[in-house]
Amino acid sequence: MAALLLGACATPAQRITSNLTELGVPPRQAQCMGGRLGERLSIGQLRRLQELTGLRAERFERMSIREIANKLTDERDPGLVAEFLRAGVGCLI
């Protein structure tokens, strides 16, 4: 119950950071990307990114930024992958 209450209070950046960390992105990079993506993504794009957390649980392995981007690829929303990769590269520098 406490986890649900805390999740409800989390900002988009915090949820993205948590999801990316669960997917295998190193914590520092996930935090940087979470902040950038939380500001730039639409609600629909945030939901799409959140859907990937379930994939990690099924695979039992870490995903690279490239693998995550490949899973996010959708012809209807190329902007999501562009923003994700931009944040990933920007947070490596």
Side-chain angles (χ1 to χ4, degrees):
M1 181 72 164
L4 289 174
L5 291 174
L6 290 175
C9 297
T11 66
Q14 291 167 329
R15 286 191 295 264
I16 293 167
T17 298
S18 177
N19 289 346
L20 291 176
T21 302
E22 288 179 26
L23 289 169
V25 176
R28 284 184 121 184
Q29 187 176 13
Q31 185 174 13
C32 175
M33 291 177 70
R36 291 175 184 217
L37 293 171
E39 294 174 356
R40 297 179 182 159
L41 298 182
S42 70
I43 298 296
Q45 290 171 324
L46 290 169
R47 287 186 183 136
R48 178 75 179 112
L49 184 57
Q50 186 174 5
E51 289 173 8
L52 287 178
T53 305
L55 294 176
R56 165 53 173 99
E58 294 171 12
R59 290 181 54 171
F60 296 106
E61 62 186 59
R62 297 170 60 101
M63 294 177 74
S64 68
I65 297 294
R66 176 176 282 180
E67 288 173 316
I68 297 168
N70 286 341
K71 296 289 184 186
L72 288 173
T73 299
D74 186 339
E75 296 169 358
R76 296 168 292 174
D77 188 6
L80 174 57
V81 174
E83 286 297 335
F84 183 81
L85 292 174
R86 187 174 299 124
V89 170
C91 290
L92 284 175
I93 298 173

